């Protein structure tokens, strides 16, 4: 196995991996979207709403605002997410109240437009937990006309993307192939048409030869192949070599999403392994 981190920031992590089966990487990709828990607004109590927006639309917009959950991750790990799901449903099997105190975070949103229009942003949401709050403060929620007002009480709950996308910490989680670009020196006449049509600027001229600058940037569109008049370029993909990209909504750091995905997958595989051992007995 060979791992190379190509990009790593607060928003995205991109890793080139070889020697790992594609189904395993696809499982990590899906777990990043569906299994890693975060906080999201799940209940909205409308006290006052004189805006032009219906209560349901207002609640939906607020629920889709990503909430920072990185600092509260250890607390999330100590919760039974399935129990929290029952708490948010109509099930009669409700957890004890002390469990709900750890799971829920109370928030408030109050805004009023007096003499002029007022745009309500996510920064207007006030949280009782300093670690769980909107990731970005510049997300517009509603525009209030003069005299209009909203007053809402919110409750954020721990959940997973498999229940609703608002709990997914990743906005993008993809795997793609690594390009295998081969250029025949005998057929190439240096017309440079392949360079002109390449959307990712992968090819360049060096020492009177067409060369590949970065194979990982190639998206396998094969436009260079179609544009080459002498058919000197052949583009395919490498076997057993892939790129994994995870982009965070801001709720968790990208590396945290990847690490938690791996941990959850290993735990579930361990449960399967123990079940199989119990069957043999």
């Amino acid at each position: 196995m060979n791992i190379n981190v190509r990009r790593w920031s607060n928003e995205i992590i991109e890793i080139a991996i070889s020697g790992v089966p594609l189904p395993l990487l696809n499982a990590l990709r899906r777990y990043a979207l569906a299994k890693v828990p975060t906080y999201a607004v799940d209940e909205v109590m409308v006290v006052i709403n004189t805006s032009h927006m219906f209560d349901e639309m207002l609640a939906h917009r607020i629920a889709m605002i990503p909430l920072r959950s990185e600092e509260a991750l250890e607390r999330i790990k100590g919760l039974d997410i399935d129990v929290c799901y029952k708490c948010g449903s109509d099930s009669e099997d409700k957890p004890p109240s002390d469990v709900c105190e750890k799971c829920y975070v109370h928030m408030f949103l109050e805004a009023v437009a007096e003499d002029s229009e007022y745009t309500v942003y996510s920064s207007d949401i006030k949280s009782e937990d300093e670690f769980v709050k909107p990731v970005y403060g510049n997300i517009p929620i509603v525009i209030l006309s003069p005299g209009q007002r909203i007053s809402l009480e919110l409750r954020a709950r721990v959940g997973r993307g498999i229940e609703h996308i608002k709990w997914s910490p990743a906005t993008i989680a993809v795997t793609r192939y690594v390009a295998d670009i081969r250029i025949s020196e005998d057929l190439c006449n240096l017309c440079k048409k392949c360079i002109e049509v390449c959307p990712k600027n992968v090819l360049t001229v060096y020492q009177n030869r067409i060369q590949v600058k970065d194979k990982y940037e190639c998206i396998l569109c094969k436009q260079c192949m179609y544009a080459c008049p002498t058919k000197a370029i052949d583009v395919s993909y490498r076997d057993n070599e892939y790129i994994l990209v995870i982009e965070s909504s801001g709720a968790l750091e990208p590396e945290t999403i990847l690490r938690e995905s791996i941990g959850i997958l290993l735990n579930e595989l361990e449960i399967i392994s123990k079940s199989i051992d119990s069957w043999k007995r």
Side-chain angles (χ1 to χ4, degrees):
M1 181 187 299
N2 185 25
I3 301 176
N4 178 30
V5 179
R6 299 195 63 249
R7 282 193 292 167
W8 188 1
S9 66
N10 294 332
E11 298 177 351
I12 192 171
I13 185 169
E14 181 176 326
I15 304 175
I17 305 177
S18 60
V20 177
L22 181 59
L24 177 59
L25 291 180
N26 190 51
L28 293 178
R29 177 190 71 82
R30 293 175 67 90
Y31 272 53
L33 290 168
K35 290 283 190 174
V36 179
T38 60
Y39 278 96
V41 173
D42 191 47
E43 296 181 12
V44 177
M45 185 174 73
V46 180
V47 181
I48 298 174
N49 179 21
T50 59
S51 70
H52 66 279
M53 187 173 291
F54 292 115
D55 295 350
E56 294 82 1
M57 294 177 61
L58 193 60
H60 182 267
R61 283 195 171 193
I62 294 173
M64 296 305 297
I65 296 175
L67 302 180
R68 182 71 176 177
S69 306
E70 180 77 23
E71 290 76 13
L73 187 60
E74 292 301 321
R75 181 174 59 196
I76 293 176
K77 288 181 180 179
L79 296 174
D80 187 342
I81 307 300
D82 295 327
V83 171
C84 293
Y85 173 75
K86 292 178 182 178
C87 185
S89 66
D90 296 330
S91 173
E92 296 180 357
D93 185 14
K94 299 289 186 179
S97 59
D98 59 337
V99 175
C100 290
E101 291 179 1
K102 297 178 182 178
C103 177
Y104 279 100
V105 172
H106 292 266
M107 299 179 175
F108 306 92
L109 175 58
E110 292 191 8
V112 59
E114 297 180 351
D115 299 328
S116 60
E117 288 187 350
Y118 179 79
T119 303
V120 181
Y121 290 96
S122 53
S123 58
D124 293 313
I125 298 176
K126 307 304 178 185
S127 174
E128 290 185 349
D129 190 325
E130 60 178 339
F131 298 126
V132 181
K133 55 187 177 182
V135 176
Y136 308 103
N138 59 349
I139 301 176
I141 299 174
V142 63
I143 298 177
L144 300 179
S145 299
Q148 292 183 342
R149 178 186 176 189
I150 60 172
S151 178
L152 311 175
E153 292 186 14
L154 320 173
R155 287 216 301 177
R157 176 172 66 84
V158 177
R160 297 176 296 190
I162 194 172
E163 181 182 349
H164 192 282
I165 193 62
K166 66 183 180 182
W167 278 293
S168 179
T171 56
I172 295 175
V174 297
T175 55
R176 57 185 178 90
Y177 293 99
V178 175
D180 185 9
I181 306 174
R182 299 181 182 182
I183 303 173
S184 173
E185 296 182 18
D186 296 332
L187 296 177
C188 181
N189 60 4
L190 287 177
C191 65
K192 301 181 182 180
K193 290 185 178 180
C194 57
I195 298 177
E196 296 173 0
V197 299
C198 181
K200 303 298 288 185
N201 195 25
V202 173
L203 303 173
T204 187
V205 177
Y206 180 71
Q207 294 182 348
N208 291 325
R209 294 173 55 188
I210 301 293
Q211 295 191 1
V212 180
K213 291 192 294 185
D214 190 351
K215 64 181 181 181
Y216 296 111
E217 289 296 322
C218 179
I219 58 175
L220 296 169
C221 67
K222 298 186 179 182
Q223 291 301 314
C224 55
M225 284 180 56
Y226 305 142
C228 181
T230 61
K231 307 301 179 183
I233 300 180
D234 179 67
V235 179
S236 60
Y237 59 86
R238 294 175 176 265
D239 293 331
N240 209 24
E241 189 172 354
Y242 312 98
I243 294 176
L244 174 64
V245 181
I246 295 178
E247 182 180 277
S248 171
S249 66
L252 297 173
E253 298 295 333
E255 65 272 18
T256 301
I257 299 174
L258 180 58
R259 183 176 61 249
E260 293 300 316
S261 300
I262 296 172
I264 295 171
L265 178 59
L266 289 175
N267 288 336
E268 293 190 356
L269 291 176
E270 181 68 20
I271 293 173
I272 295 175
S273 178
K274 290 180 179 179
S275 299
I276 294 175
D277 290 339
S278 65
W279 298 340
K280 293 180 180 180
R281 299 171 188 173

